[in-house]
Amino acid sequence: MDLGDIARRSFDSTSKGIPSPGSVTPGSVAQKNWNLLNDDLHFPTMVLLDSVVEHNLKTMAKWCAANGFLFAPHGKTTMCPQLYQRQLEVGAWGITVASAQQAMVAVKFGVKRILIANQLVGRANICSVALALGADPGLEVHCIVDSVEGVQHLAGHLKEAGALRPIKVLLEGGREGWRTGVRSLEEGRQVLAAIRKHPAQLEFSGFEGYEGIARLEEGALVKEYLDTLIRDVDTLAKELPKPATPFLFSVGGTSFLDYQHEILPSLKGRYQVVVRSGCYVTHDHGNYVAHIQRTHARGMGDEAWPPLKQALELWSLVQSVRDGKTAILTFGRRDAPHDGDLPLPLYVVRPGQSKREARKLEGAKVAKLNDQHAFMTIPPGVELHVGDRVACGIIHPCTAFDKWPVIPLVDDAYKVIDLYCTYF
Amino acid sequence: MDLGDIARRSFDSTSKGIPSPGSVTPGSVAQKNWNLLNDDLHFPTMVLLDSVVEHNLKTMAKWCAANGFLFAPHGKTTMCPQLYQRQLEVGAWGITVASAQQAMVAVKFGVKRILIANQLVGRANICSVALALGADPGLEVHCIVDSVEGVQHLAGHLKEAGALRPIKVLLEGGREGWRTGVRSLEEGRQVLAAIRKHPAQLEFSGFEGYEGIARLEEGALVKEYLDTLIRDVDTLAKELPKPATPFLFSVGGTSFLDYQHEILPSLKGRYQVVVRSGCYVTHDHGNYVAHIQRTHARGMGDEAWPPLKQALELWSLVQSVRDGKTAILTFGRRDAPHDGDLPLPLYVVRPGQSKREARKLEGAKVAKLNDQHAFMTIPPGVELHVGDRVACGIIHPCTAFDKWPVIPLVDDAYKVIDLYCTYF
């Protein structure tokens, strides 16, 4: 990968988190000696804890290796090429994305194997991927198909774009009431037949499914889905000519890692199993904590759901203390995920205090968000003042990253050592 | 304003909506002859309808003039300097923002009067504003205070930053259970006394309130709040030395324009009334439609709530049609507001069709959003195909703009005539 363009990008105080005066680049920010706890940054700011990211990267790489899985972490979570590079450095097989635009980000910064875990539709979208494939013989792109109509649409636009070589396609197996994907063996057969009609545009590379749409309590459904998917895939694979290398078999999501661990290792040898977790890189204070508890309740431990740690912290300031019970904080919907539970207050650090003097905010709760304000209930016995720094954990990483074009990477002392850039 | 830096910004297909190959600038995009309905853009894309924006800008300017209001449209809605320029061109008195970072965006592109409708807190945040005031004698910045502690915090950091001249401050009057703002006359008096202790850092410029926190059905509460605010402000103003020009009196929000129209014109002469609507610039298909209905139910018409039109359209593609009843569209939480109602399907245009051939999607509903997918129910009698283009209206403009770094501005034929850039 070539991240030189990122290292030289110039940011100033028009970007959230970055202070005046002047400008700064990711490549030179460490020389500024900015420290979050010195109030050197604009608040609110969301920071990535470098050592925790490193822990998560290595932990997940180890988990995938132990299970015999190839790993194509979902890049849509972070849309951060600097993280893609670190993911690839510890052994990722490729990077997963969700759209043509996201694929273009991966291409621009030099990712050589991209899994578009989505149906690729639209003339311009398909043309962009065709151009990228034509420009770099070393680039490998897979995408998903789930209907005869979709196959014809994709092949037609690739032909129209003058694609020089085929895109690899995975057949998606879905489930009634879930999202995309064929709903039956027969439908799968028809899509496979349609793919074969466009050998100059489409190269069948394997099978795909997505179990992450299931809710926390639907583990049994996930098992049923994966078992059915494997049975159907085995049936369809037997009807196809044997490939030179085994077909891919890919599933996604971080939520049901325990079921991936339980069911998928049996596929080894028959398929190249590719998993696509994205949120593991930062973990969270909500969804995934619940999934770990669920996994432990099934009698499984770290071997089934790797011991990840929380790497994202959203820092804001107390701007007003009202009615004795509520602190208004300087962040809102623009800064924090709000598609599930709201951010979790972790601790408060008064100006001049170091992290060791942080006071935990147990019992505090973000009760409501406006666009630019958070309403935090103040726990009994805690006194808050204007200017106090409050750190919150976030619940859904995918909708945290997309609110921050620049995310300071900090060391354990909260010194800013890099600026991670996102491309949403 | 100087928007040259924006006109020369270079975008490529790593930005949502922009197709390959090559790059494009806002200043040169019109020469590309891209048309949304030719599938020239990556989907999803959110577009601004130029003629509708123009209608809203003029309609609101006229409404403010008719009521005797100064207008400082809330820039946080769009964070788009190109729209700030158009707002100022039709007579806006200044631009409102919500944070130091947003103020820096306005400063960078040459806005000369900025109302930070928020408590300004934090060392770096306050320092940035002090530096901007020091660098440009023609810059006027107002911000809000609502506590003695906040006043001391602000004045202390301005002093520490070596501020060359005072920032203007507005006293905020709040309401028990709402958000920020003093809760009593006596508290207001104390804050005013605290302001007077820091004449080198703070210059009192008037009074402020925010009624937009009220819910749709709370019109009576808004009236009560505004009446109380005016009574208290009159009391406090009489206790102060008479200013050379009348104090400011500012309230905000687009929701209760009818109450602003009903109550605030009586202040003419006593105060300079500044209103701060932000969402008027695009209007929406939800919140504000309901407020217009509420206004009409009160027996009031266009004189009370100006006749705005919907200027934002979110375009996506059908990527999969499942279970006969659901179309999966290529947009999700990353692309659309989801803090209230989900986007409203407006019409479908098949590839090759023009806007005149669009088919209305009455009865269709976005039932659910994932990060990158929308689940749209298909109305009876409508047949949808992979690649069909679906236009949706959006509900909350503030959380629509923040998901799009680049928004194509289109003419009535959907030709792209500019790229509007946002700075979130």
Side-chain angles (χ1 to χ4, degrees):
Chain A
M1 289 183 70
D2 180 5
L3 302 181
D5 280 358
I6 294 180
R8 290 183 293 273
R9 279 185 68 179
S10 179
F11 295 99
D12 61 21
S13 57
T14 61
S15 290
K16 290 196 295 185
I18 308 295
S20 299
S23 62
V24 65
T25 65
S28 68
V29 70
Q31 296 158 30
K32 296 268 189 184
N33 271 312
W34 285 340
N35 192 299
L36 176 89
L37 296 174
N38 286 347
D39 280 350
D40 288 329
L41 301 177
H42 273 193
F43 288 83
T45 190
M46 189 174 79
V47 297
L48 262 173
L49 308 175
D50 182 54
S51 63
V52 183
V53 169
E54 190 64 21
H55 165 86
N56 290 345
L57 290 169
K58 288 185 175 158
T59 299
M60 195 66 186
K62 205 171 131 188
W63 183 86
C64 288
N67 284 294
F69 300 157
L70 299 175
F71 189 33
H74 212 318
K76 71 149 193 178
T77 300
T78 69
M79 287 311 295
C80 176
Q82 292 144 298
L83 284 170
Y84 299 171
Q85 185 177 48
R86 289 176 72 166
Q87 292 172 317
L88 292 166
E89 277 171 2
V90 296
W93 171 84
I95 296 291
T96 299
V97 296
S99 70
Q101 173 259 335
Q102 294 180 3
M104 293 303 103
V105 174
V107 166
K108 179 168 181 165
F109 295 104
V111 175
K112 293 298 181 186
R113 186 182 285 121
I114 298 167
L115 198 170
I116 304 174
N118 227 337
Q119 290 73 25
L120 188 59
V121 285
R123 186 171 72 81
N125 298 46
I126 293 168
C127 179
S128 287
V129 175
L131 288 170
L133 282 169
D136 179 1
L139 177 65
E140 180 179 322
V141 180
H142 303 252
C143 73
I144 283 171
V145 289
D146 72 346
S147 69
V148 172
E149 194 173 51
V151 166
Q152 290 164 346
H153 177 92
L154 177 62
H157 283 301
L158 284 169
K159 193 171 178 183
E160 184 194 327
L164 299 178
R165 59 196 175 95
I167 191 171
K168 294 178 190 284
V169 291
L170 299 161
L171 171 66
E172 182 169 51
R175 184 182 177 282
E176 184 85 16
W178 281 10
R179 200 165 68 193
T180 48
V182 297
R183 302 299 201 237
S184 71
L185 204 51
E186 188 45 37
E187 211 186 332
R189 253 182 218 117
Q190 290 165 6
V191 176
L192 288 173
I195 293 170
R196 279 194 296 276
K197 289 184 186 153
H198 305 278
Q201 287 81 37
L202 309 177
E203 178 188 335
F204 178 70
S205 60
F207 303 90
E208 190 269 352
Y210 178 59
E211 80 290 357
I213 197 118
R215 290 191 298 270
L216 177 67
E217 65 277 15
E218 295 181 329
L221 224 56
V222 169
K223 180 164 166 38
E224 179 193 302
Y225 166 70
L226 290 176
D227 287 343
T228 307
L229 183 67
I230 290 170
R231 193 193 62 210
D232 288 353
V233 160
D234 279 342
T235 303
L236 292 172
K238 275 182 203 130
E239 299 172 8
L240 294 168
K242 197 175 156 59
T245 53
F247 289 128
L248 301 184
F249 181 100
S250 175
V251 297
T254 305
S255 299
F256 296 99
L257 294 178
D258 51 326
Y259 284 97
Q260 295 180 12
H261 161 81
E262 184 180 329
I263 298 171
L264 303 189
S266 69
L267 299 180
K268 212 176 164 183
R270 265 149 64 214
Y271 301 97
Q272 299 180 74
V273 178
V274 179
V275 295
R276 312 190 303 260
S277 167
C279 292
Y280 81 97
V281 72
T282 64
H283 194 43
D284 72 4
H285 280 89
N287 291 339
Y288 299 113
V289 172
H291 278 288
I292 291 179
Q293 289 165 349
R294 181 186 55 68
T295 300
H296 291 172
R298 294 179 68 214
M300 306 171 99
D302 288 352
E303 79 291 349
W305 222 106
L308 305 172
K309 297 178 184 175
Q310 288 99 356
L312 275 179
E313 288 181 352
L314 175 60
W315 285 79
S316 66
L317 299 172
V318 174
Q319 70 173 88
S320 193
V321 180
R322 285 295 140 195
D323 305 332
K325 295 164 294 192
T326 304
I328 307 295
L329 307 179
T330 59
F331 77 88
R333 291 186 197 108
R334 255 79 181 275
D335 313 298
H338 52 93
D339 51 312
D341 288 337
L342 299 181
L344 178 72
L346 299 176
Y347 45 88
V348 55
V349 189
R350 301 223 57 208
Q353 288 184 334
S354 71
K355 179 75 190 294
R356 280 187 311 174
E357 296 166 277
R359 173 159 187 180
K360 284 199 181 172
L361 282 171
E362 275 172 80
K365 195 182 159 192
V366 174
K368 185 164 81 161
L369 290 183
N370 289 164
D371 291 343
Q372 312 276 162
H373 300 83
F375 294 66
M376 184 181 81
T377 57
I378 304 174
V382 173
E383 202 176 296
L384 292 177
H385 296 278
V386 171
D388 283 354
R389 291 90 54 98
V390 172
C392 287
I394 57 87
I395 304 306
H396 183 193
C398 289
T399 48
F401 277 93
D402 66 7
K403 293 174 177 66
W404 293 89
V406 190
I407 303 173
L409 183 76
V410 299
D411 67 15
D412 291 346
Y414 287 82
K415 187 196 154 175
V416 180
I417 55 176
D418 204 342
L419 299 173
Y420 275 13
C421 302
T422 64
Y423 290 78
F424 287 98
Chain B
M1 290 184 69
D2 181 5
L3 303 180
D5 280 358
I6 294 179
R8 290 183 293 273
R9 280 185 66 178
S10 178
F11 295 99
D12 62 21
S13 57
T14 61
S15 291
K16 289 195 295 185
I18 308 296
S20 299
S23 61
V24 66
T25 65
S28 68
V29 71
Q31 296 159 32
K32 297 268 190 184
N33 272 313
W34 285 340
N35 192 298
L36 177 88
L37 296 174
N38 287 346
D39 281 351
D40 288 330
L41 301 177
H42 272 192
F43 286 83
T45 190
M46 189 173 80
V47 297
L48 262 174
L49 308 175
D50 183 53
S51 63
V52 183
V53 169
E54 190 64 19
H55 165 86
N56 290 345
L57 290 169
K58 287 185 174 158
T59 299
M60 194 66 185
K62 205 169 133 189
W63 183 85
C64 288
N67 285 294
F69 300 158
L70 300 174
F71 190 32
H74 212 318
K76 71 149 192 176
T77 299
T78 69
M79 287 311 296
C80 175
Q82 291 145 299
L83 285 169
Y84 299 170
Q85 185 177 48
R86 290 176 72 165
Q87 292 172 316
L88 291 166
E89 276 171 2
V90 295
W93 171 84
I95 296 292
T96 300
V97 296
S99 70
Q101 173 258 335
Q102 294 180 3
M104 293 302 104
V105 174
V107 166
K108 178 168 182 166
F109 295 104
V111 175
K112 292 298 181 185
R113 187 182 283 120
I114 299 167
L115 199 170
I116 305 174
N118 227 338
Q119 289 74 24
L120 187 59
V121 284
R123 186 171 72 81
N125 298 45
I126 294 169
C127 178
S128 287
V129 175
L131 289 170
L133 281 169
D136 179 1
L139 177 65
E140 180 179 321
V141 180
H142 303 253
C143 72
I144 284 171
V145 289
D146 72 345
S147 70
V148 172
E149 194 174 50
V151 166
Q152 290 165 345
H153 176 90
L154 177 61
H157 282 302
L158 284 169
K159 193 171 179 183
E160 184 194 325
L164 299 177
R165 60 197 176 93
I167 191 170
K168 293 177 190 286
V169 291
L170 299 161
L171 172 66
E172 181 169 53
R175 186 183 175 280
E176 184 84 18
W178 281 9
R179 199 166 69 193
T180 48
V182 298
R183 301 299 202 236
S184 71
L185 204 51
E186 187 45 37
E187 210 185 333
R189 255 183 217 114
Q190 290 165 8
V191 176
L192 288 174
I195 293 170
R196 280 194 295 275
K197 289 184 184 153
H198 305 279
Q201 287 82 36
L202 308 177
E203 179 187 334
F204 178 69
S205 60
F207 303 90
E208 189 269 351
Y210 178 59
E211 81 290 356
I213 197 121
R215 290 191 298 270
L216 178 67
E217 65 277 15
E218 295 181 328
L221 224 55
V222 169
K223 180 164 167 36
E224 180 193 302
Y225 166 71
L226 290 176
D227 287 342
T228 307
L229 183 67
I230 290 170
R231 194 193 62 210
D232 288 353
V233 161
D234 278 342
T235 303
L236 292 172
K238 278 184 202 129
E239 299 172 8
L240 294 168
K242 196 174 155 61
T245 53
F247 290 128
L248 302 184
F249 181 100
S250 175
V251 297
T254 305
S255 300
F256 296 99
L257 294 179
D258 51 325
Y259 285 97
Q260 295 180 13
H261 161 80
E262 183 181 330
I263 299 172
L264 303 188
S266 69
L267 298 180
K268 210 177 167 182
R270 266 150 64 212
Y271 303 96
Q272 300 181 73
V273 178
V274 179
V275 296
R276 312 190 303 261
S277 167
C279 292
Y280 82 98
V281 73
T282 63
H283 194 42
D284 72 5
H285 281 89
N287 291 340
Y288 300 113
V289 172
H291 277 288
I292 291 179
Q293 290 167 347
R294 182 187 55 68
T295 300
H296 291 172
R298 294 180 67 214
M300 305 170 99
D302 289 352
E303 78 292 348
W305 223 104
L308 305 171
K309 297 179 185 174
Q310 289 99 357
L312 275 179
E313 288 181 352
L314 175 59
W315 285 78
S316 65
L317 300 172
V318 174
Q319 71 174 89
S320 193
V321 181
R322 286 294 140 198
D323 305 332
K325 295 164 295 190
T326 305
I328 306 296
L329 307 179
T330 60
F331 76 89
R333 291 185 197 110
R334 255 78 181 276
D335 313 300
H338 52 92
D339 52 311
D341 287 337
L342 299 181
L344 178 73
L346 300 175
Y347 45 88
V348 56
V349 189
R350 300 222 59 206
Q353 287 184 335
S354 72
K355 178 75 191 295
R356 281 187 310 173
E357 297 165 277
R359 173 159 187 179
K360 282 198 183 173
L361 282 171
E362 276 172 79
K365 196 183 159 192
V366 173
K368 185 164 82 162
L369 291 183
N370 290 165
D371 291 343
Q372 313 276 162
H373 300 82
F375 294 65
M376 185 180 81
T377 57
I378 304 173
V382 173
E383 201 177 294
L384 291 177
H385 296 278
V386 171
D388 283 355
R389 292 88 54 97
V390 173
C392 286
I394 58 86
I395 305 306
H396 182 194
C398 290
T399 46
F401 278 92
D402 66 7
K403 292 173 178 66
W404 293 90
V406 189
I407 302 174
L409 182 77
V410 299
D411 67 15
D412 291 346
Y414 287 82
K415 186 196 157 176
V416 180
I417 55 175
D418 204 343
L419 299 173
Y420 275 14
C421 303
T422 65
Y423 290 78
F424 286 97

